[in-house]
Amino acid sequence: MYQAFKALQKAPRVRKDAFTLRRPQLTRRRWECPAFLHTSSTTCAGPVPHVNFGHLAQDFKGALFRHQALLQCITLHTSAAPTASSIVSFPLAQTGEGIKECELTEWYVQAGSRVEEFEKICEVQSDKAAVEITSRYPGVIKKLHHSTGDLVQVGSPLVDIEVTDAAPTNDGSKLQTETVPKPPSDIDAAPVASVRQKSPPGYKVFASPATKHLAKENNINLADVTGTGPEGRITREDLLKVLEQQAHSAVSQESSAPSTSGQGAAKAPGSQAEPPAKRPQPPSSQQAAEEEALHPGTTIVPLRGYKRAMVKSMIAAGTIPHFHLCDELDMRALMALRNQIKGDSVLQGVHLTFLPIMIKALSTALEEFPLVNSSLNSKADALLQHSSHNIGVAMATPSGLVVPNIKNVQQRNVANIAAELARLQKDAAIGRVNQADVSGGTISVSNIGTIGGTYATPLVNPPEVAIVALGRVRYLPRFAADGEVEKAALLNISWGADHRVLDGATLAEFSNKWKQFIEEPDRLLLRLR
C-alpha cells in the first residue's frame, strides 16, 4: 500500500484520448479522483504492481483498486460527509471555583437568532465577576430558558440550540460535503464506517482534540461513547446526541418526581383524592413575608452579584480573630515626588495618584516580611507563603464592593502599576471585572479616604491575613525636629490582621518599614530593581 501511495503522489498530469486525467490529489482526509469509484473488484491482489500511466484507467482497475485496505480508505473518505440536525440544550458551565449559581444580567440573542461557534450568547454575574458566555455550537436559538435578572444554577440549561453541522475532521474542522458518483454495489459491500474497529493495543479513544475538549467541558467520559465516525471515531454529533439524551433524562426525572402522591391516592379506591400539599416556601421567602406583614411597604431586595459575595466574605471574616493597629504617615515627601514625575512620558497619559507608589512600597516591604504575604491552608495546620505579591484594591461599584488585585507587583514598576490600577477601576465601574482579577489575592488595600474618614477597623479578605485602610490626607500642625510648629500632610492608616498568623510585633515592624519607604522615598529607590 505504501508503494501505491508513493506512485499516486508522483503521478504526473496525463492527457489521453481527448480527455484529461489529473493525478489523484492525496490530502489529509480524502482522495479526490473520480477514477477511484470505477472499480468493481474487492479482492486483495497482493503487492501493488507498477502503474502504467499510459493505460491509467485499466491499471487502476486491474491492480491498484484490488487492494482491500486502499478500497476501505476510498470508501470512507470519498463518500459525502453525513450531516446532523438536532436540538441541544446548552447548560451554564462552571464559571469559577465554588460558584453554584449566577445572575443572568444580559441576553445577546433571542429565539430564532443564528449564532456561530464562540459567539456571545449572554452575560452572567457570579459572586466574584461578570462572565460572557459564548456558544459551543453553530446553529439557531430555539428557546431561552431564563429571563434577565434570573438566578441560574450551574448545570441548568440556558438555551436550546438547533445544531446543523457536518461531521468533524481529524483536526476538529468541518468536513465539507461534495457530490460524487454513486459507487457500484460491490463497493457498498465494504466495511461500514460507523462500526467501531478494533483499537490497537494501548489506544483508548479515537477523537479529535476539539471533540475531546467538548467532552471535557460537559464531563462526558469518551470511553462510554460509541463512535459512529470512520474506524469508530467519536464525532461531535456523537457527543451532541449524548447531551440531548442527558437533557431529556433530566426533564423526565423532574416530571416523574411528584408521582408519589398520585400512587398513594390510587390505593384507596372510591375515596376522594386529597389536594396536593402546598409547596413550602424557602426560609428566606417566609422571613420576607413576615417582615412584609410586620412592616407594610417594605421593599425586598435580593442579594446578587458583588453584594452577595461581600456577605459571604464577611461571614467568613467574622470567624477570624482580628487585631488592629493604627498609625499616621507624613505624606509631604511623597507628594513632592509625585509632583515631579506625574507628567513623565513613561506614564503614557495615565493619571498618577499616591496609590500606585504606596502599593509598590508595600510590595517592597513584603520582601522583608514574607509572613505578611501568606495564608493558612484549608486545615489551618500549615502556612502558605506566597512568592507573588498580588495586592488587592477594594473598589466601590454600583453592584457592591469588589476587590480585584494587581498581579505580581514585585515585578512591576510604578508606571505599570498605575496603568493596571486604571484598567481595574474602569472594569469595576462597568461591572466587567473578570474572574482572574478577583482571584489569588495575597494582601489588600482599602482606600476609604477618597470618600472620607480617618481611621477604620478593616476585616481581612479571606484567605489573606492582612489588610490596610487608608484615610484621607489632612493638613495638621506638628512639631518639627527643632521644636517649631509646622504644617504637615498626614494620612491615617488602619491595619487589620489575622491574629492566628500575625502577632502585634510583626505587624508593627512591617508597618514601620512601609512607613519609612513612604516618608523617605529615596530609601525605596535603593531597593527597586
Side-chain angles (χ1 to χ4, degrees):
M1 183 164 179
Y2 176 78
Q3 295 176 354
F5 280 5
K6 299 300 291 184
L8 289 172
Q9 287 179 316
K10 296 179 180 180
R13 175 173 172 173
V14 187
R15 183 173 182 88
K16 181 178 177 61
D17 298 333
F19 68 91
T20 300
L21 292 177
R22 293 182 181 272
R23 68 182 179 90
Q25 300 296 320
L26 182 60
T27 64
R28 179 188 296 268
R29 292 288 299 172
R30 64 178 68 226
W31 292 76
E32 298 172 348
C33 181
F36 285 173
L37 302 176
H38 297 314
T39 179
S40 59
S41 175
T42 59
T43 304
C44 179
V48 180
H50 173 71
V51 178
N52 182 0
F53 288 98
H55 302 82
L56 184 62
Q58 289 80 1
D59 287 339
F60 274 177
K61 290 181 181 179
L64 185 60
F65 281 33
R66 290 199 299 269
H67 198 294
Q68 181 67 20
L70 183 58
L71 183 62
Q72 293 183 18
C73 179
I74 296 167
T75 304
L76 296 179
H77 299 305
T78 57
S79 58
T83 59
S85 178
S86 59
I87 295 180
V88 179
S89 184
F90 178 57
L92 174 63
Q94 183 69 262
T95 60
E97 184 179 359
I99 301 298
K100 297 181 179 179
E101 61 184 10
C102 297
E103 179 186 2
L104 200 157
T105 56
E106 184 178 1
W107 279 112
Y108 297 130
V109 296
Q110 58 185 355
S113 300
R114 172 77 188 181
V115 294
E116 300 299 331
E117 194 172 6
F118 306 118
E119 185 177 344
K120 292 189 295 185
I121 292 180
C122 63
E123 180 184 274
V124 297
Q125 173 74 54
S126 69
D127 294 348
K128 298 181 179 180
V131 181
E132 290 181 339
I133 305 299
T134 59
S135 176
R136 299 175 188 170
Y137 327 105
V140 178
I141 302 295
K142 304 302 290 185
K143 179 182 179 181
L144 305 181
H145 286 271
H146 302 277
S147 301
T148 302
D150 289 352
L151 281 179
V152 183
Q153 299 292 323
V154 171
S156 63
L158 282 172
V159 296
D160 289 345
I161 304 178
E162 183 179 17
V163 179
T164 303
D165 200 1
T169 63
N170 284 348
D171 56 359
S173 60
K174 300 175 187 176
L175 178 63
Q176 297 180 353
T177 63
E178 60 182 49
T179 303
V180 296
K182 179 176 176 60
S185 58
D186 292 347
I187 293 184
D188 291 339
V192 182
S194 61
V195 178
R196 181 183 291 275
Q197 305 293 327
K198 183 177 179 181
S199 301
Y203 191 83
K204 295 183 179 180
V205 294
F206 193 29
S208 68
T211 303
K212 292 179 180 179
H213 180 69
L214 180 60
K216 183 179 180 181
E217 284 186 338
N218 292 276
N219 297 320
I220 297 176
N221 186 1
L222 288 175
D224 299 334
V225 180
T226 301
T228 61
E231 301 181 2
R233 172 178 296 277
I234 299 174
T235 66
R236 171 183 287 183
E237 280 66 33
D238 298 330
L239 296 187
L240 296 184
K241 291 178 182 178
V242 172
L243 290 174
E244 186 177 3
Q245 292 172 1
Q246 291 177 352
H248 289 321
S249 176
V251 172
S252 61
Q253 289 177 4
E254 183 177 348
S255 61
S256 61
S259 61
T260 306
S261 60
Q263 293 174 357
K267 293 180 180 179
S271 61
Q272 185 176 0
E274 297 181 0
K278 185 177 180 181
R279 184 177 181 180
Q281 292 180 318
S284 59
S285 300
Q286 293 180 353
Q287 294 173 3
E290 294 173 359
E291 290 291 335
E292 175 69 19
L294 292 175
H295 304 282
T298 300
T299 301
I300 301 172
V301 181
L303 291 175
R304 305 283 177 85
Y306 297 149
K307 293 181 180 179
R308 188 173 184 178
M310 184 174 65
V311 170
K312 293 181 179 180
S313 178
M314 291 301 99
I315 290 175
T319 64
I320 297 174
H322 279 70
F323 80 95
H324 295 89
L325 174 70
C326 299
D327 202 349
E328 62 182 21
L329 307 178
D330 189 336
M331 299 290 289
R332 285 178 289 181
L334 190 61
M335 293 171 69
L337 175 63
R338 172 184 171 272
N339 289 334
Q340 291 177 0
I341 63 176
K342 65 181 181 180
D344 197 287
S345 60
V346 73
L347 293 171
Q348 297 181 353
V350 176
H351 177 62
L352 180 64
T353 63
F354 301 130
L355 190 56
I357 306 175
M358 298 180 74
I359 288 175
K360 185 60 182 180
L362 186 65
S363 173
T364 306
L366 285 174
E367 293 180 357
E368 300 187 26
F369 293 85
L371 184 62
V372 184
N373 195 56
S374 63
S375 60
L376 279 173
N377 66 351
S378 58
K379 296 181 179 180
D381 59 3
L383 277 177
L384 308 175
Q385 291 192 355
H386 309 293
S387 58
S388 298
H389 300 169
N390 300 338
I391 300 179
V393 180
M395 300 178 183
T397 73
S399 302
L401 182 69
V402 62
V403 190
N405 59 81
I406 303 173
K407 299 289 194 295
N408 298 311
V409 175
Q410 77 279 4
Q411 299 176 359
R412 299 175 182 262
N413 57 33
V414 172
N416 187 269
I417 294 171
E420 182 69 1
L421 181 61
R423 180 188 71 82
L424 294 175
Q425 290 172 335
K426 180 180 178 181
D427 291 346
I430 60 177
R432 294 293 178 87
V433 179
N434 60 53
Q435 182 70 28
D437 290 331
V438 296
S439 303
T442 58
I443 189 172
S444 294
V445 177
S446 177
N447 191 14
I448 191 65
T450 56
I451 301 175
T454 53
Y455 292 104
T457 55
L459 301 181
V460 299
N461 184 24
E464 301 168 13
V465 298
I467 182 174
V468 61
L470 309 179
R472 61 185 178 90
V473 176
R474 298 183 300 162
Y475 292 93
L476 297 173
R478 286 293 185 269
F479 287 103
D482 58 2
E484 295 293 329
V485 177
E486 59 185 9
K487 180 182 177 181
L490 302 178
L491 183 145
N492 303 112
I493 62 172
S494 305
W495 285 98
D498 186 342
H499 215 335
R500 298 172 300 175
V501 179
L502 299 178
D503 55 65
T506 301
L507 185 63
E509 291 175 356
F510 171 70
S511 181
N512 289 339
K513 178 61 66 174
W514 182 47
K515 177 179 180 178
Q516 184 183 51
F517 291 151
I518 292 175
E519 294 183 344
E520 304 176 50
D522 50 344
R523 296 184 181 273
L524 176 63
L525 295 177
L526 289 174
R527 291 167 173 80
L528 296 181
R529 294 184 177 88

